[in-house]
Amino acid sequence: MENVGKDSKLYEFIINQGGSEEEASQFAESAPTYWGDQPIVAAPAYIGAIVFFLCVLALYHDKRKIKYAFVAGALLSLLLSWGKNFSGLTNFFIEYVPLYDKFRAVSSIQVILELCIPVLAIMGLQSFFKDTENQKKSLLYTAATSIGLIVVLFLAKSMFSFSTENDGYYIQAYGKEMGTAFVQALKADRASLFMADLLRSGFFMAVAFGALWFYLKGKLAQNTAIILVGIFMVGDLFFVDKNYVSNNPKQFKSAREVDQPFEPTPADEEILKDKSVYRVYELQGRLQGRTSYFHKSVGGYSAVRPRRYDQLFDYQIDKKLADLGSNIDPKTLSLTKNIPVLDALNIKYLLVEVKDGQSVPITNPFANGNAWFVSELRKVNSADEEMKALDKLDTKNIAVFNPGPFIKTKVNKAFVKDSTATIQLKVYKPNHIEYTSNNANDGFAVFSETYYKDGWKATIDGKEEEIFRTDYVLRGLYIPKGKHTIEFNFEPQVVKTGSSIALFSSIGMLLVILGGVYVDQKKKKQA
């Protein structure tokens, strides 16, 4: 979205259709100016016309072979950023290059290009002043290539459609006749922006060429030429970046607002009086961060949130809460009927929005707590069966369990659940949780914590024990009779391995630097 201004075809179109100046300005301030095949584009990745010019200069003038490594890195990252538009290369990397399939957006790899091109630009500027051989020839070739590209794009204007897949939305929304005219105005503004950018880029390239040319002719000192190139280079970037940073002070946040982005509501303050360990679920928005700012929440937003929790909400919780209103006592503001999955997640409070837009806390008196013993471990053979079993599961007494490929230990299916048996939470930290248990019989306990095999380790009295995934997302543990201390510690092996590699790499690099300094000093003494 760009501000195309009051001189745009779009602004003129809205006025001609009988719109007010205010309405026309609103359309012009956020015009969809992107044209191309990408479905979602927020802003361009811009390196700079002068940076590009100096990069080309490096290709012609710099004799160091390292430049080819940077060229290869820039080209490869550019091709990979095309994604499905260059499917052969993209699919190869997805299939055979470790971790490449973890990218959320293929365009992210342009960070490599955004490193390589500026490095080449600095190499070009440096070599131009240090290597006086063929300076004029290199500079003329660079100008012919860079400015020539601008001319070619200028002449090729008629080859571009200036349209995008999303244009069909406006035709559908505004009707065929008006929608088509609206899109035509948009396309005219896109073409105008295209031409304006070409002229601006050509101007900045010409300035860089002029500064270096006058240096060759003895009209400018070296430092003066460098300063001029630097000023216009930064100016080019500044005026493009300025389009994406608002001039309105109200768009910026104070330090206090950043440190405390949310204000507690009366409902939050009421819940916070409870000092025990529990969870809160805000019905009006699971995928938001406000609730998690004040409470231990089952919500929150992350692009990499656990899939099983999404599935649990889609197939269990959302359906169960569809008629929540009929399950609330208006006098006590508490649930009158238990919802097993909410109980198992230890959701003690629900934040529900009422008519005036304010939220009220609804108490769930049926929450299972932090951990509990069950009398039966019900085995299923698939994730589907496990999910369906949760429909009417008595989570306080029965745990559903799918062995899958992870569980090695065999356990009993039935246990004696003694009414005097206890399991209590003692320490609760993000990476360390501690409980004490006391049971006259061997038992199986369910912990209202997320099962994650690649990090959490469980110990009973210091001896490591296997964690079972129960109730689709929670942890289960076989606990022998007697009094015990149970600990969960988050110790992912990948972090240990990575830390070791980083440590040894840092030590190795330090030794190389010290060795280099020693050899250099020795050579100086010999000289």
Side-chain angles (χ1 to χ4, degrees), residues 17 22 52 59 69 77 82 109 144 175 209 220 256 296 329 357 372 385 387 411 413 432 439 479 492:
Q17 295 298 317
E22 183 180 356
F52 179 79
L59 300 184
S77 64
W82 292 351
I109 203 162
F209 170 78
L220 290 176
R256 184 196 64 80
K296 293 177 177 63
D329 185 336
W372 59 95
E385 288 184 30
M387 180 66 78
V411 295
K413 292 183 179 181
H432 173 74
N439 194 356
I479 301 176

Side-chain angles (χ1 to χ4, degrees), residues 374-379 397-400 412-415 444:
V374 295
S375 57
E376 181 184 345
L377 189 59
R378 185 173 295 172
K379 181 181 175 182
N397 296 297
I398 303 171
V400 62
N412 298 329
K413 292 183 179 181
F415 301 89
F444 190 88

Side-chain angles (χ1 to χ4, degrees), residues 91-103 109:
N91 291 338
F92 174 83
F93 266 69
I94 289 174
E95 294 293 335
Y96 298 107
V97 176
L99 300 181
Y100 187 78
D101 61 346
K102 301 298 184 286
F103 273 106
I109 203 162

